[in-house]
Amino acid sequence: MEILQILIVIGVLCLLVKPLGTYIYHIFSNQPNRTDQWFGWIEKPIYKLAGIRNQSGMTWKKYAGSLVLTNIVLVAAGYLILRTQKVLPLNPNGIDNMEATLSFNTIISFMTNTNLQHYSGETGLSYFAQMAVIMMMMFTSAVTGIVVAIAFIRGLTSKGHSLGNFFVDFVKGHTRLLLPLALIVMLVLVGLKVPQTFDATITAQTVEGTEQQIAVGPVASLVSIKHLGTNGGGFFGVNSAHPFENPSPLTNVIEILSMWCIPASLTYTYGRFAKNQKQGWVIFSAMLLLFLVFLSVAFFSEKAGNPVLNSMGVESAQGSMEGKEVRFGIAQSALFTAVTTAATTGTVNNMHDTLTPLGGMVPLVEMMLNTVFGGDGVGLVNMLMYAILAVFLAGLMVGRTPEFLGRKIESREMKLIAIAILAHPLIILGPTALALMTDLGRSAVTNPGFHGISQVLYEYTSSAANNGSGFEGLADNTPFWNITTGIVMLLGRYVSIIALLGVAGSLVRKQWVPETIGTFRTDNMLFAGIVIGTVIIIGALTFLPVLVLGPVAEYLTLR
């Protein structure tokens, strides 16, 4: 029955891929279609108000520059609000201004689509800050990732010299995709008893005769975009384990599908742009096969229970239920854990710090690979990066100039891809070593054993992958952790984005090479296997040693 629950959710996702992927294609194809009629009247005044008169295509440098400058402006505005929220409206609970280093960490976290939270939402932010900063960033950061994917796809598939116009793509991503979807999901969640109100904290009388403060607020609107945008930041400190954010198994499934549907559907969008749908299905198949392996490890590890408790004769028929909600059980907890880190969302419906060693290693490895669906847009781009690398390696083995979608892959593209690939482990392993070497880092570790290494490693992996979940046993709201994870989040987001836009800009200028009998095919399952092998080999070479020091050593100790 538990496995059936999982299979049904995966089946529904597969049914959503084609229609949603087709819709996203029509949004960004720049060809006349019905979305122009539905949303054009909204977008025209936005373009006029923003002064966007020139809607012509951009080079990759101009596209990347426009993206970064837009993000800088949003960061500055959001930081100012966090530092002054005490005197701003919609603060019925009188919440104070956020501390400087925590404000830095929070604003960087949400602008980079990470949503790492070193604070508790219901006590750390006013309603105005939740909406004007957190929700606003959840939309803009998600759209930023989506338009990067679209620009990268155009670079691979178009025969022009432009990646599109960032500002036009940015507006369309909001008006035609995320805002309508978020409104629909919000209304569904409100119907399923998720709160949506501006009322102050409720004072309730407990059965013992004491008073209890129950936090409420505009929860449903935040929950909808936090999942659709693969953001993950919770309105409440315990995130989607809170009964107001995620009250039932049905809302749990809706939230799983919400954070999974856009990253999965973008593979179909890629196939439409390539005018070869097999290309999209190959990427989707590679992602899904990797995901199923990780999900199986997580589910069966948690279902087997804690080996120490099992050896003591403690009843473990339900599995390892420590840190999990009874209303979800093992199946929906394991599925949520695997999806939230595969799609780099970071929302949690159970405490990852209490997962079994192998169960906890699953979200860790998914974030290290950062290609198993990934966040909105950036996950597809990362997987296409590995696809290009796989073509390059295959070409070297047969002595032929590598080609991908009719473009020759040469040294310039491979240098930029090498930067993107090497930056990810560097910004994880370097800060992890620094934290474990210094008192400033070690003082936050609550578990001195192998699990403590996993806590530190998880924090920086989550930051670098722009995921935001954590082994929350780490006491990380200190200047050291706020600043170091903030820097890691910035590098994890923008180094790869800029490098891969550079790859797209290089490829879009190249002459198209016609396919011949000797062309290495990239639209079959053989290529899917090669891509999977490339991802696993590079991941193992860079991260296996540190995994042995953390979750693997903990697993062997418990055994």
Side-chain angles (χ1 to χ4, degrees):
M1 188 63 182
E2 290 181 317
I3 294 178
L4 180 61
Q5 292 179 40
I6 293 173
L7 292 176
I8 289 173
V9 176
I10 295 174
V12 173
L13 173 81
C14 293
L15 293 176
L16 290 173
V17 166
K18 181 176 179 179
L20 183 55
T22 302
Y23 177 68
I24 296 173
Y25 168 75
H26 288 313
I27 291 173
F28 296 107
S29 66
N30 293 330
Q31 299 174 0
N33 57 72
R34 290 182 181 177
T35 62
D36 297 327
Q37 302 169 11
W38 297 339
F39 302 102
W41 63 275
I42 303 175
E43 294 164 355
K44 288 178 182 177
I46 295 175
Y47 293 143
K48 187 175 181 179
L49 182 65
I52 304 172
R53 296 181 180 85
N54 182 9
Q55 299 184 13
S56 59
M58 297 177 172
T59 63
W60 79 267
K61 291 181 180 178
K62 192 171 182 180
Y63 201 100
S66 300
L67 181 155
V68 172
L69 286 174
T70 300
N71 282 199
I72 289 173
V73 171
L74 293 170
V75 164
Y79 182 83
L80 183 63
I81 293 173
L82 293 179
R83 296 288 288 140
T84 60
Q85 65 177 349
K86 183 179 180 179
V87 298
L88 295 175
L90 293 177
N91 188 11
N93 300 316
I95 294 174
D96 203 353
N97 300 328
M98 187 175 278
E99 185 268 333
T101 63
L102 182 56
S103 295
F104 166 79
N105 184 276
T106 300
I107 201 66
I108 295 301
S109 175
F110 283 86
M111 191 65 258
T112 57
N113 202 237
T114 310
N115 291 209
L116 185 74
Q117 291 177 285
H118 288 177
Y119 65 92
S120 186
E122 65 267 45
T123 58
L125 292 175
S126 68
Y127 293 166
F128 184 81
Q130 289 271 30
M131 298 181 70
V133 178
I134 304 306
M135 285 180 59
M136 179 270 289
M137 292 289 189
M138 285 181 171
F139 278 99
T140 55
S141 65
V143 171
T144 297
I146 292 169
V147 301
V148 165
I150 296 301
F152 192 81
I153 291 170
R154 288 178 184 141
L156 293 179
T157 60
S158 70
K159 298 180 182 179
H161 298 282
S162 161
L163 300 184
N165 186 293
F166 169 76
F167 298 110
V168 173
D169 292 341
F170 193 69
V171 171
K172 285 183 177 180
H174 284 92
T175 58
R176 305 189 185 194
L177 182 61
L178 285 187
L179 281 169
L181 289 180
L183 178 62
I184 293 169
V185 174
M186 181 195 76
L187 293 174
V188 172
L189 292 175
V190 169
L192 295 172
K193 311 303 182 185
V194 176
Q196 180 71 15
T197 179
F198 288 121
D199 290 343
T201 298
I202 299 170
T203 301
Q205 198 79 13
T206 68
V207 292
E208 291 89 357
T210 60
E211 287 188 351
Q212 180 182 0
Q213 302 298 316
I214 301 176
V216 291
V219 181
S221 55
L222 187 144
V223 170
S224 63
I225 186 57
K226 88 166 182 177
H227 290 104
L228 286 166
T230 60
N231 293 285
F235 190 96
F236 301 99
V238 295
N239 215 287
S240 282
H242 197 289
F244 284 178
E245 283 202 26
N246 193 6
S248 68
L250 179 56
T251 59
N252 197 60
V253 170
I254 291 170
E255 292 180 14
I256 288 172
L257 292 173
S258 295
M259 62 176 147
W260 207 359
C261 62
I262 293 178
S265 298
L266 280 169
T267 60
Y268 194 87
T269 303
Y270 161 64
R272 289 295 300 267
F273 271 100
K275 295 181 173 55
N276 180 356
Q277 208 53 62
K278 289 182 180 179
Q279 295 284 353
W281 287 123
V282 163
I283 299 299
F284 177 79
S285 299
M287 290 177 169
L288 186 60
L289 287 171
L290 283 168
F291 174 80
L292 291 175
V293 171
F294 291 125
L295 173 61
S296 299
V297 173
F299 174 73
F300 288 111
S301 296
E302 299 306 307
K303 191 65 181 174
N306 187 314
V308 174
L309 296 179
N310 292 345
S311 66
M312 296 170 61
V314 177
E315 171 60 35
S316 61
Q318 287 185 301
S320 178
M321 285 298 294
E322 182 186 5
K324 299 178 181 63
E325 296 295 309
V326 175
R327 66 184 185 277
F328 301 137
I330 295 294
Q332 291 209 32
S333 296
L335 179 60
F336 202 101
T337 297
V339 173
T340 192
T341 43
T344 65
T345 307
T347 179
V348 294
N349 75 347
N350 66 90
M351 177 62 78
H352 286 192
D353 202 29
T354 62
L355 292 169
T356 59
L358 294 185
M361 189 171 71
V362 166
L364 194 54
V365 173
E366 285 184 321
M367 293 185 295
M368 287 172 169
L369 298 181
N370 209 18
T371 57
V372 189
F373 292 104
D376 281 354
V378 292
L380 174 66
V381 171
N382 286 340
M383 185 57 97
L384 289 175
M385 171 185 71
Y386 276 99
I388 294 172
L389 178 59
V391 167
F392 183 77
L393 294 175
L396 290 179
M397 287 189 287
V398 298
R400 179 182 171 87
T401 303
E403 300 168 10
F404 189 66
L405 297 183
R407 261 69 170 212
K408 289 187 179 296
I409 308 301
E410 297 173 309
S411 61
R412 175 178 171 81
E413 293 81 45
M414 293 315 302
K415 288 175 183 176
L416 290 169
I417 286 175
I419 290 172
I421 288 177
L422 294 175
H424 186 60
L426 180 64
I427 61 177
I428 292 173
L429 301 179
T432 298
L434 178 66
L436 292 172
M437 288 167 57
T438 61
D439 290 335
L440 289 173
R442 289 197 303 269
S443 62
V445 178
T446 59
N447 190 316
F450 298 119
H451 192 77
I453 296 175
S454 298
Q455 287 179 332
V456 174
L457 178 63
Y458 195 105
E459 186 77 358
Y460 286 114
T461 303
S462 179
S463 301
N466 300 132
N467 178 269
S469 64
F471 273 15
E472 296 302 343
L474 198 70
D476 48 24
N477 185 13
T478 66
F480 174 85
W481 287 95
N482 288 335
I483 293 170
T484 57
T485 54
I487 293 171
V488 169
M489 287 186 281
L490 275 173
L491 295 174
R493 179 71 163 178
Y494 295 106
V495 169
S496 61
I497 280 180
I498 293 171
L500 293 175
L501 282 176
V503 172
S506 177
L507 291 175
V508 77
R509 295 194 301 269
K510 292 190 175 185
Q511 288 285 347
W512 183 72
V513 180
E515 187 176 307
T516 67
I517 193 171
T519 302
F520 182 66
R521 297 189 65 85
T522 58
D523 59 357
N524 53 33
M525 291 310 295
L526 172 63
F527 183 66
I530 293 173
V531 172
I532 292 172
T534 303
V535 170
I536 292 174
I537 289 171
I538 292 178
L541 289 173
T542 50
F543 292 113
L544 187 57
V546 75
L547 289 172
V548 170
L549 293 175
V552 173
E554 184 183 3
Y555 169 76
L556 294 175
T557 302
L558 290 180
R559 303 289 293 184

